Amino acid sequence: MRRSAHVLLLGLLIAAPLSARAGIVVGSKNFEESRLLGEVFAQLIEARTGLPVERRLGLAGTQICFEALRTGAIDVYPEYTGTGLVSILGEKSTGGRAAALARVRAEFLHRFDLRWLAPLGFENSFEIAVPKELAEKEKLRTLSDLARIAPRLKVGFGQEFVGRVDGLPGLEKTYGLHFGSVRSLEHAIKYGAAGAREIDALDVYTTDARLIEHRLVVLEDDRDFFPPYEAAALVRGETLRKHPEVGSALGLLAGAFDEERMRALNFRLEHGEREEVVARDVLASLGLVASRTGAKPEQTAKGKAPERAGFFAYLVQERQALLRRTLEHLGLSGLALLLGVLVAVPFGLLLERRRRFAEPAIRLLGITQTVPSLALLAFMLPLLGIGARPAIVALWIYSLFPIVRNTYSGVRDADPRAVEAALALGMTEWQVLRQVRLPLALPIVLAGIRTAAVLTVGTATLAAFVGAGGLGEPIVTGLQLADNRRILSGALPAALLAIAVDALLGALERALRPRGL
Amino acid sequence: MPTALAVERVVKIYPEGTRALDDVSFTVAAGETVALVGESGSGKTTLLRLFNRRLEPTSGRVVVAGEDVAGVDPIALRRRLGYVPQDGGLLPHWTVGKNVETVPRLLGWEAQRRLDRVRELLDLVGLPGATFAGRYPNELSGGQRQRVAFARALAADPPILLLDEPFGALDALTRRELHLQFAEWTAALGKAAVLVTHDLAEAFRLAARTGVLRGGRLLQIGPAEELERRPADPYVEALLDLALSRRSANA
């Protein structure tokens, strides 16, 4: 009876966000240009259609964005034609921009009912860059030149580039490249690594503002390996049929950008400006939304990149955002833990009644602890989409093992003499469980919950991968921007939170420990 | 004298094949204390557990207060039988008072009646309630814990006590002291009791009759003098020799 009530509750909590979805959901990938374009889409739709817009910016990579769009978890996100062609459709790049666009338009419409709107006007291709000194020393101009000395080189590429067909595997095939060693690095870390000559080559984007800063030279793709990567809004057909005004609004952005403008915008983002501010400036300068301040659009708010203030000044400056992130973080992990307790404690008790299944069941549950969080999220994507739901479910799964294990062993090992005496005096099994086994097991069950709580709070940073917020958000963004302050502003509160939760539950454990034990 | 307990041709074979009890029969009269003596594995504890249906016999009858226990609800049955295990078996998270009132609470007695009963029993076993009712078992000595266990067994005034080596874990002095008190309580309260022990001297001191078990068989049952005069089995004889030599060594 109680157990079915728990299942029902769980079902409701998971299902609730599904029905709650109203308005337009805008997604983006987890790098600054994509986030900015997502924000631009969002503000434009808000301004021009009056529809409520929900933002799911910073989703972890093409796979998650595309699946989220296909399954309807989001309505629109910025994508690049070459990525669509090679990574999603798995085709080879043939012909130029127009051919690539025509191909993805036809195929996406036919296969997924997804529409590529008119391109935004700039290309952001993958390119390979090397430090200037190396290029001069080795006389490198093209990728064919690079192939010649590749076996002597240590290179660092973004994780996605290493895996993509239109990334390293294709590049190696086309140019017969074989690098001495390949390291997979977080995008923003690569630049510093190249600057320090830890790596000799890296993948970059056309619109990257960091090329000059880090004294990097882009090599020419002399065999036309990289497909054209025109940026455009990729939208669900269903969304456009239901809200045609979304299509007309986003259509206003056709050709509105060029590489130079994008590079300038990326520069502002890399130097710590918020995407909301930059997006508002862009739309104002394009005359697409009214400029609120009346000042010259591109110079509103912070015209020039803000100074990199000290860490504590940064924390103070960001305190409201951090407070919100902390609350999100606590909400996600708290809900996951609550669901974990509701399911795992009864399950542990059930296993104690069916001991034959206990060890195999617990061992099986133990495997969940070894599944990397990103893999877990990827598995759940088709079922749960993105946002808080998959994050909570993933955290919930992680929380089960310690609680089930401790509940089972705590109740099983409860002082057998006390249990036997209770039975011999005429307690029912239920009374023995309630009055003897559970109280005696309580300290151990609580210790399991405490372990699960610390684990959940510590792991909740994964929520950022699927756009569910939390303190992982500044960590992920900070990694992309190679901004240690930002990383710390998420990592430090997350660690403190875990310590605080541990201490709190430790005190609770002591307070609830039955006297006499 | 009416019969308090009886087993008739009881056989107990455990699922894995061990024959723990082999055709055992005996009775306990109301108010009588019968001791069951044997080494571990002899079947004495198995036999005890048949009376409160913590175990079911493979064949044969177990009778409590004139009723075949097979037809009695085991929970109700257990609440009518006092029980004292070797180590007291007190619930460590409950106070002495709460431990003692376990069965009255299960039976639904009112709070005031339970409270009075707890005080009465703690006085009986020599642990004044004012001092001891609020203590936890881990604040007591081994002998005190065992006294509480007796008080708990007597709480609902059951006519029959099942005692599973209740003095086994105590030091010699404490055991001697509790032996004397036990004899007083059972005599004063008129309880029938089955006392499981591995100590023949203890059995002779406390029980009217003693049964000797070995390998699941009841070799002999009778008063001490009868066992001493006419041991029915070489094992009984050996056991007697051992107990007598120990007695003389102690003297």
Side-chain angles (χ1 to χ4, degrees), chain B residues 187-203:
Chain B
L189 302 169
K191 304 295 180 191
V194 179
L195 169 68
V196 163
T197 173
H198 58 266
D199 180 352
L200 194 63
E202 176 175 288

Side-chain angles (χ1 to χ4, degrees), chain A residues 133-195:
Chain A
E133 307 94 275
L134 182 71
E136 280 164 7
K137 195 174 124 218
E138 300 283 350
K139 303 203 180 354
L140 301 177
R141 206 180 50 78
T142 64
L143 287 176
S144 299
D145 295 340
L146 187 70
R148 213 177 56 223
I149 61 159
R152 285 193 275 128
L153 298 183
K154 309 185 295 278
V155 298
F157 294 130
Q159 287 99 345
E160 200 172 326
F161 186 80
V162 171
R164 280 169 64 146
V165 196
D166 55 339
L168 187 60
L171 189 71
E172 286 181 329
K173 227 163 120 192
T174 309
Y175 284 96
L177 273 168
H178 294 287
F179 290 110
S181 82
V182 177
R183 251 193 250 191
S184 155
L185 295 174
E186 192 58 51
H187 180 62
I189 289 171
K190 293 180 306 196
Y191 295 91

Side-chain angles (χ1 to χ4, degrees), chain A residues 107-125:
Chain A
E107 280 299 302
F108 274 64
L109 184 62
H110 171 66
R111 283 209 230 165
F112 316 116
D113 188 26
L114 299 178
R115 315 291 173 98
W116 290 83
L117 299 187
L120 302 175
F122 73 95
E123 258 194 79
N124 189 5
S125 178

